[in-house]
Amino acid sequence: MGTTQPIREKDDLKKFLDYYRYSRPNARNYALITFGLHTALRIGDILGLKWENVYDFDRNCLYDHLFLREKKTGKQNIVAMNRHLKDTMNAYRKSRDPQPSDYVFTKTTDYTHPLSRSQAFRIMKKAAVETLHTTHVSCHSLRKTFGYHAWKQGVPPALLMDIFNHSSYSVTKKYLGIDQDERDSIFMEIDLL
């Protein structure tokens, strides 16, 4: 789990998201970050997606759900695509005019090969350094950020464990950095005088 952290503060998350939306506009990079944040998928699974996995070319619309087999666990996963993600992906698709067999996230010069993990990492790192002034954000931070904010908004721990395929709530808490947050709140809220 290393030093990769979720982006905990909503203001920081907005700055991070807005980097490729407004500061350095790049439809692909913005869509990649948005996709990672809203699906909680690992970067390897995201980079392996083709347009035919996310877009119904017969009906000319994005699917409501993604169906994929996770590379790491081998488990089938079904992820709902929310309105914000669909809006972002539609705008990105219009900038590309892709074929069904094209990878979703590619170099702008070659749609037949996905972005490399190292390139995706550089995309995340650049936005984090420029907006958050930290190097503790990576592709995996998107997944952790989803879980952290879901937990803060009251999503039951059992559902988060299921989404992340964790064996226990203690694993999920450690993964999201919740243990330290809970400890900090005790020290900050206890009034001994």
Side-chain angles (χ1 to χ4, degrees), residues 56 104 158:
D56 185 338
V104 176

Side-chain angles (χ1 to χ4, degrees), residues 76-138:
Q76 184 70 26
N77 195 348
I78 302 169
V79 178
M81 291 182 54
N82 67 29
R83 180 190 54 79
H84 183 72
L85 179 56
K86 283 185 171 187
D87 290 347
T88 300
M89 293 305 292
N90 271 322
Y92 173 52
R93 185 190 59 78
K94 288 175 185 173
S95 75
R96 298 285 298 268
D97 190 29
Q99 297 301 307
S101 62
D102 290 345
Y103 284 94
V104 176
F105 300 105
T106 66
K107 293 180 180 179
T108 54
T109 56
D110 181 7
Y111 296 168
T112 62
H113 293 91
L115 276 179
S116 68
R117 292 172 68 95
S118 59
Q119 181 62 26
F121 174 78
R122 286 191 294 271
I123 289 167
M124 302 304 153
K125 192 68 100 181
K126 175 79 172 162
V129 168
E130 293 294 324
T131 61
L132 308 177
H133 311 292
T134 183
T135 58
H136 296 292
V137 172
S138 69

Side-chain angles (χ1 to χ4, degrees), residues 27-181:
R28 180 203 60 200
N29 295 355
Y30 177 69
L32 177 63
I33 290 172
T34 302
F35 201 92
L37 283 170
H38 288 271
T39 64
L41 294 172
R42 290 176 186 89
I43 195 66
D45 293 325
I46 293 171
L47 296 178
L49 291 172
K50 295 188 175 187
W51 278 102
E52 62 198 359
N53 302 126
V54 299
Y55 191 79
D56 185 338
F57 284 84
D58 293 330
R59 293 179 45 218
N60 201 29
C61 65
L62 287 160
Y63 291 118
D64 291 329
H65 293 86
L66 298 172
F67 296 86
L68 68 139
R69 184 159 306 281
E70 293 181 349
K71 290 179 184 176
K72 183 176 180 177
T73 65
K75 294 180 181 178
Q76 184 70 26
N77 195 348
I78 302 169
V79 178
M81 291 182 54
N82 67 29
R83 180 190 54 79
H84 183 72
L85 179 56
K86 283 185 171 187
D87 290 347
T88 300
M89 293 305 292
N90 271 322
Y92 173 52
R93 185 190 59 78
K94 288 175 185 173
S95 75
R96 298 285 298 268
D97 190 29
Q99 297 301 307
S101 62
D102 290 345
Y103 284 94
V104 176
F105 300 105
T106 66
K107 293 180 180 179
T108 54
T109 56
D110 181 7
Y111 296 168
T112 62
H113 293 91
L115 276 179
S116 68
R117 292 172 68 95
S118 59
Q119 181 62 26
F121 174 78
R122 286 191 294 271
I123 289 167
M124 302 304 153
K125 192 68 100 181
K126 175 79 172 162
V129 168
E130 293 294 324
T131 61
L132 308 177
H133 311 292
T134 183
T135 58
H136 296 292
V137 172
S138 69
C139 298
H140 212 64
S141 293
L142 302 179
R143 184 172 158 87
K144 288 184 175 189
T145 299
F146 171 89
Y148 180 83
H149 287 278
W151 171 74
K152 292 292 269 189
Q153 292 175 32
V155 172
L159 286 178
L160 290 174
M161 286 170 46
D162 183 55
I163 288 169
F164 292 125
N165 290 316
H166 289 161
S167 59
S168 70
Y169 181 52
S170 63
V171 171
T172 302
K173 283 172 58 174
K174 185 175 181 183
Y175 181 77
L176 300 177
I178 293 169
D179 282 334
Q180 190 60 49
D181 281 3

